[in-house]
Amino acid sequence: MNRLTAALAAFAMTVAVTAVTAGTAAPANAATLRQQIVSVAQAQLADSARNVEKPAGSNCNYYTGVFRTWKSSSGCGSGDGVQFRDSDWCADFSKYVWKTAGVPYAATPETSGGVLTGWASSFKDYGTGNNTWHTRSSGYTPQAGDSLVFDWEGDGTIDHVGIVTSADGSTVRTIEGNSGDRVKANSYSRSSGSIVGYSEPVGGGSAPPTGGTDGHRIQMGDIDGDGLDDVIQMRDNGDVVAFINIGANPIYSWSHNRKVLTGITDVSQIRAGDFNGDGRDDLLQVRPNGDVVVFWNSGANPNFTWQNNALVLTGITDKQQITVGDINGDGYDDIIQVRPNGDVVAFWNNRTNPLFTWQTNALILTAIGDKLQLKPGDINNDGRDDLIQVRPNGDVVVFWNNGTNPLFTWQTNALILTAITDKAQLKTGDVNNDGRDDLIQVRPNGDVVAFWNNGTNPLFTWQTNALVLTAIDL
């Protein structure tokens, strides 16, 4: 996002681009989306009312005026009915192009938790969060409509972003804002060390994400021990990222997240739970060899490391059978296994080494035909997790935890929500720290919605929910 210097000007070669009129309708398919992005960028390049700073060399620009009205306008000009504002503006330009072209998630304001902000690095965040990010060294061939981010100084900090208009085997061509104080067409060698990588627009023809179809890519857990559950995202590059619940609107945002672990090669292996009773959720990994390992939450940054973990159970051959919850209300999360015969078994947390054994488990429910339907959560604030089932007809039913043997029965359950058509979308977590778990839905369009637990009948309704995060891929 930094201003381009004379050295940059020598590095980039200006190329001619034909202007076309930009449309604003949402594209119908991947090819149309990419064409629309290029058309919008070309139109901005040709628009003399907005394609230069006013006054020249001032950083006062049209695109910051559109998105970040809190920036200073002192000494700035105007154009096309917009008061120009003073800021580095390559990211504002690129966001304007994507938003106008109809790219998913580009329209959400950064003040409402939107992933794209005034920082060039937010375009990498967009790609990593939606599994459309490609490093330069990956060999990816950039496509028209991609965003392209740069690190001019080679210090690991992303400095600049532009829009790809075309590429061949050796050269990538762009249109960029804040390039020599104006919107400019440039071209670069694809092997340039200043290129960090490319983010494809969602809907631009990206390959579908791998490993996340069971919904375990997204977990809810209290990483920082403040009583508010955070959103935990497992990314395809192995990073585990926590969106921290700030307890205010927006509850979660792309400006309040941080990496908490790296090197997780299967996004479906991780569960969140407090296994040592310290109030901070740890991460549990179910490995291909059947080992179950806990990464302890140190409370430091990063919260988890590969040096601070422990083997807590063996012999679990199917990671999708496993979930976690505090079934007996002792403050320590237990491991819950849904077996192929429909039995639901709790491995009790012994609080000693080993935490879990095949000798200390109990049958707690039967006849659950789908291992992915079941979600533990404390719905009635009694300190014991109940079992929530998402049924094929869209009904969401809670099996109440009786606190006695049998803990759960088919006679003590209740319908709490309807019309949830995909069991993988639903999570449980206490988003507002009232002691009652809410229901969190990750929708196909990337929206994360909280259904608030009302504490009365009906517990959850489609009238009492709120958008809490955007641009999250399930």
Side-chain angles (χ1 to χ4, degrees):
M1 199 172 79
N2 293 344
R3 298 280 304 281
L4 301 182
T5 61
L8 169 60
F11 175 69
M13 302 176 292
T14 302
V15 295
V17 181
T18 303
V20 289
T21 302
T24 57
N29 54 52
T32 305
L33 174 60
R34 290 184 177 279
Q35 292 165 3
Q36 188 79 334
I37 293 169
V38 173
S39 295
V40 173
Q42 291 172 335
Q44 301 311 297
L45 178 70
D47 192 336
S48 60
R50 60 178 71 167
N51 65 8
V52 294
E53 295 177 359
K54 297 181 181 180
S58 65
N59 255 9
C60 295
N61 73 95
Y62 174 89
Y63 303 96
T64 301
V66 170
F67 291 118
R68 295 187 287 156
T69 55
W70 59 89
K71 289 292 186 178
S72 172
S73 62
S74 177
C76 295
S78 61
D80 279 356
V82 171
Q83 172 62 59
F84 285 25
R85 295 185 182 273
D86 182 358
S87 179
D88 292 328
W89 53 282
C90 62
D92 290 325
F93 169 80
S94 296
K95 179 178 178 178
Y96 181 91
V97 171
W98 269 16
K99 175 181 180 291
T100 304
V103 171
Y105 318 137
T108 306
E110 61 182 284
T111 52
S112 299
V115 58
L116 296 180
T117 69
W119 294 95
S121 59
S122 68
F123 281 81
K124 180 183 177 184
D125 292 339
Y126 179 101
T128 56
N130 291 291
N131 303 297
T132 64
W133 168 251
H134 308 276
T135 63
R136 174 183 55 82
S137 59
S138 69
Y140 170 74
T141 299
Q143 302 177 67
D146 290 349
S147 63
L148 163 63
V149 298
F150 300 88
D151 174 7
W152 301 126
E153 286 81 34
D155 59 1
T157 300
I158 291 175
D159 303 303
H160 186 68
V161 62
I163 300 297
V164 175
T165 56
S166 67
D168 55 34
S170 61
T171 304
V172 58
R173 300 168 187 85
T174 65
I175 295 177
E176 306 158 26
N178 201 18
S179 178
D181 304 334
R182 63 179 299 117
V183 177
K184 184 185 288 187
N186 294 312
S187 67
Y188 307 92
S189 168
R190 284 180 51 193
S191 62
S192 168
S194 294
I195 296 174
V196 179
Y198 308 87
S199 282
E200 298 183 70
V202 170
S206 304
T210 58
T213 55
D214 60 7
H216 288 134
R217 179 188 297 276
I218 303 299
Q219 299 282 315
M220 301 296 297
D222 186 1
I223 296 298
D224 52 4
D226 63 356
L228 298 163
D229 274 347
D230 310 299
V231 173
I232 304 160
Q233 181 188 42
M234 271 59 68
R235 296 181 175 174
D236 282 347
N237 66 352
D239 290 349
V240 181
V241 173
F243 290 82
I244 302 301
N245 186 332
I246 62 173
N249 191 12
I251 291 177
Y252 307 100
S253 78
W254 283 82
S255 304
H256 293 94
N257 68 51
R258 57 189 173 86
K259 191 185 301 183
V260 295
L261 184 62
T262 61
I264 299 298
T265 56
D266 181 343
V267 299
S268 296
Q269 292 179 350
I270 296 296
R271 312 288 183 268
D274 183 3
F275 298 103
N276 56 2
D278 65 357
R280 297 187 302 264
D281 275 357
D282 311 295
L283 296 181
L284 179 143
Q285 182 189 31
V286 186
R287 295 181 173 174
N289 66 350
D291 288 351
V292 181
V293 173
V294 168
F295 290 84
W296 302 112
N297 189 334
S298 66
N301 189 6
N303 289 76
F304 308 97
T305 70
W306 284 84
Q307 290 72 44
N308 188 23
N309 64 47
L311 179 67
V312 296
L313 186 62
T314 61
I316 298 297
T317 56
D318 182 353
K319 62 181 179 288
Q320 291 186 338
Q321 293 178 357
I322 297 301
T323 185
V324 300
D326 185 4
I327 299 299
N328 56 2
D330 63 356
Y332 294 75
D333 275 340
D334 309 298
I335 291 177
I336 301 149
Q337 181 187 33
V338 185
R339 295 181 173 173
N341 65 351
D343 288 351
V344 181
V345 172
F347 289 83
W348 304 116
N349 188 327
N350 301 313
R351 309 189 202 178
T352 59
N353 188 12
L355 283 182
F356 305 96
T357 72
W358 286 83
Q359 289 70 47
T360 52
N361 64 47
L363 180 67
I364 57 176
L365 187 61
T366 61
I368 297 297
D370 183 341
K371 60 195 172 188
L372 297 179
Q373 289 179 352
L374 222 54
K375 327 277 179 174
D378 185 3
I379 300 299
N380 56 0
N381 193 22
D382 64 358
R384 299 186 303 267
D385 275 355
D386 310 295
L387 295 180
I388 296 95
Q389 182 188 33
V390 186
R391 296 181 173 172
N393 66 349
D395 288 351
V396 181
V397 172
V398 60
F399 289 85
W400 300 113
N401 187 330
N402 302 312
T404 59
N405 190 10
L407 287 176
F408 303 95
T409 73
W410 284 83
Q411 288 69 48
T412 53
N413 64 48
L415 179 68
I416 56 176
L417 187 63
T418 61
I420 298 296
T421 56
D422 182 353
K423 58 183 177 288
Q425 294 177 2
L426 207 64
K427 320 291 173 185
T428 63
D430 187 359
V431 176
N432 55 2
N433 197 20
D434 64 357
R436 298 187 301 265
D437 276 351
D438 309 296
L439 297 180
I440 297 91
Q441 183 188 28
V442 186
R443 295 180 174 173
N445 67 350
D447 288 351
V448 181
V449 172
F451 289 84
W452 303 115
N453 187 331
N454 301 312
T456 58
N457 190 11
L459 288 176
F460 304 95
T461 72
W462 284 84
Q463 287 70 48
T464 53
N465 65 46
L467 180 67
V468 294
L469 186 61
T470 62
I472 293 296
D473 175 50
L474 190 61

